[in-house]
Amino acid sequence: GLAPEAIGDGIFRFNLLAPAFCTAVAAEVAGFEASALPRRRVNSMNRGGAVLSDLGMEPLMTELARRLVAPLAAALYSAEPFGGSIDHHHSFVVAYRHSGGDRGLDLHHDASEVTLNVC
């Protein structure tokens, strides 16, 4: 369910997105990757992946941030000053592979108030 399970200091795990939604996004990304459309790096740490706004998903990701991420952040991080003010996102996908691509992501720090990883 959606009930968050604390697995670390400020780190929570929970089910959020329906498998069919994830499958549909993955199919869009696969189509984009198979095309000759221009692409940009998702960040300085990953070589592969896709920025979802490049696939026309900016409005969808904005709604997810507004309707899901912002209320979750407000509930889970109510003591933080950013709690209910999530007004920006950089939505992207990356795939980690055993060979032929990024193998993982090293421990790092970024300027995000909230990070939502979907696995």
Side-chain angles (χ1 to χ4, degrees):
L2 189 57
E5 171 192 1
I7 60 172
D9 185 27
I11 303 170
F12 301 91
R13 175 176 53 199
F14 51 90
N15 293 326
L16 180 64
L17 303 172
F21 176 83
C22 296
T23 299
V25 170
E28 288 295 320
V29 171
F32 178 74
E33 288 180 337
S35 77
L37 293 169
R39 61 203 70 220
R40 56 190 162 129
R41 287 183 65 170
V42 298
N43 57 41
S44 63
M45 298 168 284
N46 295 99
R47 291 184 304 261
V51 177
L52 294 179
S53 62
D54 292 349
L55 283 74
M57 293 188 188
E58 180 80 17
L60 174 61
M61 295 299 117
T62 297
E63 284 300 301
L64 281 174
R66 185 177 73 78
R67 293 184 185 201
L68 292 174
V69 178
L72 280 169
L76 296 173
Y77 305 105
S78 59
E80 299 293 335
F82 62 80
S85 64
I86 306 301
D87 60 0
H88 177 79
H89 63 86
H90 176 60
S91 302
F92 61 91
V93 296
V94 294
Y96 297 112
R97 298 176 177 88
H98 294 289
S99 64
D102 293 320
R103 300 181 83 176
L105 183 61
D106 291 334
L107 182 63
H108 68 283
H109 180 271
D110 59 35
S112 299
E113 283 87 9
V114 174
T115 297
L116 177 66
N117 292 314
V118 178
C119 303

